[in-house]
């Protein structure tokens, strides 16, 4: 079976109603990164950081996967699929994708402030300020803040290097090292980009097809195309 890696960003969840980061109505137009998404912010203003992720987690309970998530999950009927996502939502999993690697963490998990390996699932949407891990340290969102390492990136580059086809959906390709993933596809491996905007594809050296559409339209179309090519 052909190996396909689907590399996603906030745009794949936009059609579910979740805000992206850098669109005009994105999260970084409403919040300053340094206030809610850095280790310093967590030390300096823990309540604001916990509240920011509580709000996003609460919203996650009110949205559903969209046609793009479902089309990506359906790819698994025809291909050997890995999803590598920058998103911290669980919509790929809820749509049925089996192998999802989260580069920037997961909203539905917390971890010990002292031991990053001590990761727990959160029940419901609310992290209380004084919630502690088994090691006695305070819990924090299991999110990769700006300036922190991206432990899953190495695994993601191995996945990309084994792919026979790469699909990039809904990411501006503006954040590193995540954006570098497109450089790990072997030369000649086709890359499809599904995005109504203009992500930074300059570093993509591979044969590139940009499907200029919202993910909820573009991904089902791409699925149909890829499946029809199988029977040719
Ligand atoms: N369908 C597909 N793509 C869309 C849609 C849609 N309906 N709406 C917007 N987009 C595209 C935008 O054109 C843009 O290219 O999604 C992309 C969103 O880019 P960003 O907001 O920068 O989100 P992302 O690339 O996921 O950000 C990467 O930055 O802040 C950090 O950790 C955060 O994981 C995030 C990382």
């Amino acid at each position: 079976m052909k190996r396909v890696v689907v590399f996603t960003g906030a745009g794949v969840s936009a059609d579910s109603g979740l805000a992206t980061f850098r669109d005009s109505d994105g999260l970084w137009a409403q919040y300053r990164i340094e206030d809610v998404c850095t280790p310093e912010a967590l030390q300096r203003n823990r309540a604001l950081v916990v509240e920011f992720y509580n709000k996003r987690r609460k919203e996650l309970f009110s949205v559903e996967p969209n046609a793009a998530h479902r089309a990506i999950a359906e790819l698994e009927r025809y291909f050997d699929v890995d999803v590598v996502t920058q998103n911290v939502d669980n919509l790929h999993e809820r749509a049925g994708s089996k192998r999802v690697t989260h580069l920037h963490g997961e909203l539905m998990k917390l971890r010990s402030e002292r031991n990053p390996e001590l990761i727990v699932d959160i029940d419901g949407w609310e992290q209380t300020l004084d919630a502690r891990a088994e090691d006695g340290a305070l819990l924090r969102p299991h999110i990769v803040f700006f300036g922190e390492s991206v432990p899953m990136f190495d695994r993601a580059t191995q996945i990309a290097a084994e792919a026979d086809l790469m699909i990039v959906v809904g990411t501006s390709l503006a954040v590193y090292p995540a954006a570098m993933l497109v450089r790990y596809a072997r030369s000649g491996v086709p890359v499809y980009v599904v995005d109504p905007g203009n992500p930074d594809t300059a570093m993509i050296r591979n044969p590139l097809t940009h499907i200029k559409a919202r993910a909820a339209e573009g991904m089902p179309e791409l699925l149909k195309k890829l499946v029809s090519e199988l029977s040719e």
Side-chain angles (χ1 to χ4, degrees), residues 56-232:
R56 291 179 64 196
R57 202 175 292 117
K58 187 175 185 181
E59 191 186 18
L60 192 48
F61 280 81
S62 64
V63 301
E64 295 295 325
N66 64 62
H69 296 106
R70 291 195 296 273
I72 291 166
E74 193 167 336
L75 278 170
E76 295 183 10
R77 291 176 52 194
Y78 308 95
F79 303 101
D80 182 7
V81 180
D82 275 280
V83 176
V84 176
T85 187
Q86 299 168 89
N87 299 341
V88 294
D89 66 54
N90 57 1
L91 296 177
H92 283 302
E93 291 89 342
R94 286 166 56 189
S97 288
K98 297 285 180 297
R99 290 206 306 264
V100 182
T101 299
H102 287 269
L103 291 178
H104 293 159
E106 297 181 63
L107 267 180
M108 295 310 293
K109 290 185 164 72
L110 302 175
R111 71 167 189 256
S112 157
E113 283 206 1
R114 187 179 309 145
N115 172 7
E117 309 294 315
L118 189 48
I119 301 165
V120 294
D121 292 323
I122 182 172
D123 267 342
W125 61 268
E126 188 172 19
Q127 174 192 351
T128 56
L129 266 185
D130 55 359
R132 290 185 179 271
E134 282 166 17
D135 63 358
L138 285 169
L139 283 166
R140 56 161 278 182
H142 179 48
I143 300 290
V144 175
F145 290 150
F146 282 88
E148 294 186 320
S149 67
V150 183
M152 299 306 285
F153 185 66
D154 285 352
R155 172 78 192 109
T157 60
Q158 289 161 11
I159 292 169
E162 290 161 9
D164 303 307
L165 185 117
M166 178 178 274
I167 303 172
V168 180
V169 193
T171 175
S172 60
L173 294 170
V175 170
Y176 288 78
M180 284 300 288
L181 198 69
V182 297
R183 294 292 292 260
Y184 285 82
R186 286 166 291 140
S187 69
V189 167
V191 175
Y192 289 87
V193 169
V194 181
D195 192 319
N198 295 302
D200 177 10
T201 57
M203 75 272 202
I204 298 178
R205 297 170 298 198
N206 293 53
L208 173 62
T209 307
H210 183 175
I211 299 169
K212 223 158 154 49
R214 300 178 68 87
E217 283 92 45
M219 251 327 296
E221 286 305 310
L222 180 54
L223 170 69
K224 224 183 288 174
K225 172 186 184 323
L226 293 175
V227 172
S228 69
E229 285 171 357
L230 278 178
S231 45
E232 279 166 9

